[in-house]
């Protein structure tokens, strides 16, 4: 058989394989999309198998309690289209270890990640302006966090974060609330950085600290 004939046969085989396997790839993509319930840009439900979850681009808000108590998700990637994470949206997810947030998020509601005991890594983008109280309560594996200066007022966020070692506030933040750095709640806290822009500090910022 000539080289030209072999090429024709090879092309025919490749086309046949593509036709055979294409439905499987389409089905896989469709299944991933079907994992989410999205209404007018708001993510209201999730029925996927968990693991590494990527929120679909185009979602503008993750509603309250969407992933609460989900034992299967291990990491979450949040695209720039998401502007708000609702109350307890990821609360008490016992195996969630990592959250990656793209620039664009503006608001994290109260208790959004509370009780995620294995969460050790989360980035907070400089687009963020509001973090409500107790957003990270009980994240006992979280060791360090950088709060962007775009968040002007910062209140109690880290109760029960027993592994917390380092908290950095960047230039721009102006006010911190009482007990923000409570060392009774964060007994391993060793370093706190406050920028010059801070002009208001609530009572007992270090709580029951022995120092």
């Amino acid at each position: 058989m000539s080289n030209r004939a072999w090429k024709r046969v090879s092309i025919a085989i490749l086309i046949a394989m593509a036709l055979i396997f294409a439905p499987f790839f389409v089905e896989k993509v469709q299944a991933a999309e079907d994992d989410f319930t999205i209404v007018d840009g708001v993510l209201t439900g999730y029925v996927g198998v968990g693991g590494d979850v990527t929120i679909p681009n185009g979602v503008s808000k993750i509603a309250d309690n969407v992933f609460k108590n989900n034992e299967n998700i291990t990491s979450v990637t949040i695209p720039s289209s998401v502007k708000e994470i609702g109350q307890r949206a990821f609360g008490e997810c016992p195996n969630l270890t990592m959250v990656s947030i793209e620039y664009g998020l503006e608001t994290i509601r109260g208790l959004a990640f509370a009780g995620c005991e294995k969460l050790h890594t989360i980035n907070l983008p400089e687009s963020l302006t509001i973090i409500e109280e107790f957003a990270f309560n009980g994240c006992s594996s979280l060791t360090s966090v950088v709060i962007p200066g775009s968040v002007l007022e910062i209140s109690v966020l880290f109760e029960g974060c027993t592994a917390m070692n380092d908290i950095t506030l960047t230039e721009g933040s102006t006010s911190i609330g009482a007990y923000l750095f409570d060392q009774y709640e964060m007994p391993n806290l060793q370093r706190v950085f406050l920028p010059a822009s801070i002009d208001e500090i609530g009572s007992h910022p270090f709580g029951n600290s022995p120092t």
Side-chain angles (χ1 to χ4, degrees):
M1 185 179 294
S2 67
N3 289 338
R4 181 175 296 179
W6 273 115
K7 288 181 180 179
R8 289 176 178 174
V9 171
S10 299
I11 292 172
I13 292 173
L14 290 172
I15 292 173
M17 292 177 64
L19 292 173
I20 292 172
F21 290 106
F24 294 95
F25 291 111
V26 172
E27 181 178 352
K28 183 176 181 180
V29 171
Q30 186 63 43
E33 293 176 352
D34 289 346
D35 290 346
F36 303 94
T37 300
I38 302 170
V39 180
D40 294 330
V42 179
L43 175 58
T44 60
Y46 173 76
V47 294
V49 297
D52 300 327
V53 175
T54 298
I55 305 302
N57 192 35
V59 169
S60 59
K61 177 181 178 179
I62 301 173
D64 298 352
N65 304 308
V66 173
F67 295 92
K68 183 182 177 182
N69 296 320
N70 189 307
E71 299 180 354
N72 299 315
I73 62 173
T74 56
S75 72
V76 176
T77 299
I78 298 174
S80 60
S81 62
V82 175
K83 305 304 179 186
E84 180 178 332
I85 298 174
Q87 291 187 6
R88 293 191 183 274
F90 297 95
E92 290 85 45
C93 292
N95 294 304
L96 180 62
T97 62
M98 182 179 299
V99 177
S100 176
I101 306 174
E102 294 183 0
Y103 185 94
L105 183 68
E106 297 173 355
T107 302
I108 297 177
R109 296 298 181 191
L111 302 164
F113 296 95
C116 295
E117 297 178 351
K118 293 184 179 180
L119 179 64
H120 58 73
T121 302
I122 184 168
N123 70 293
L124 302 176
E126 294 183 357
S127 55
L128 194 60
T129 58
I130 296 173
I131 308 176
E132 291 187 345
E133 289 187 339
F134 314 123
F136 302 102
N137 274 22
C139 293
S140 53
S141 295
L142 198 61
T143 59
S144 66
V145 67
V146 177
I147 301 176
S150 52
V151 182
L152 300 183
E153 300 180 2
I154 305 164
S155 56
V156 179
L157 298 175
F158 305 111
E159 286 188 356
C161 293
T162 53
M164 185 68 76
N165 180 265
D166 187 316
I167 299 175
T168 298
L169 279 60
T170 60
E171 189 67 27
S173 296
T174 60
S175 173
I176 60 176
Y179 296 94
L180 176 60
F181 309 114
D182 190 345
Q183 287 192 298
Y184 178 80
E185 298 290 343
M186 295 176 284
N188 292 298
L189 185 62
Q190 298 294 319
R191 179 181 179 274
V192 171
F193 178 81
L194 300 180
S197 57
I198 294 291
D199 58 20
E200 182 179 350
I201 298 178
S203 62
H204 303 94
F206 288 89
N208 295 310
S209 170
T211 59

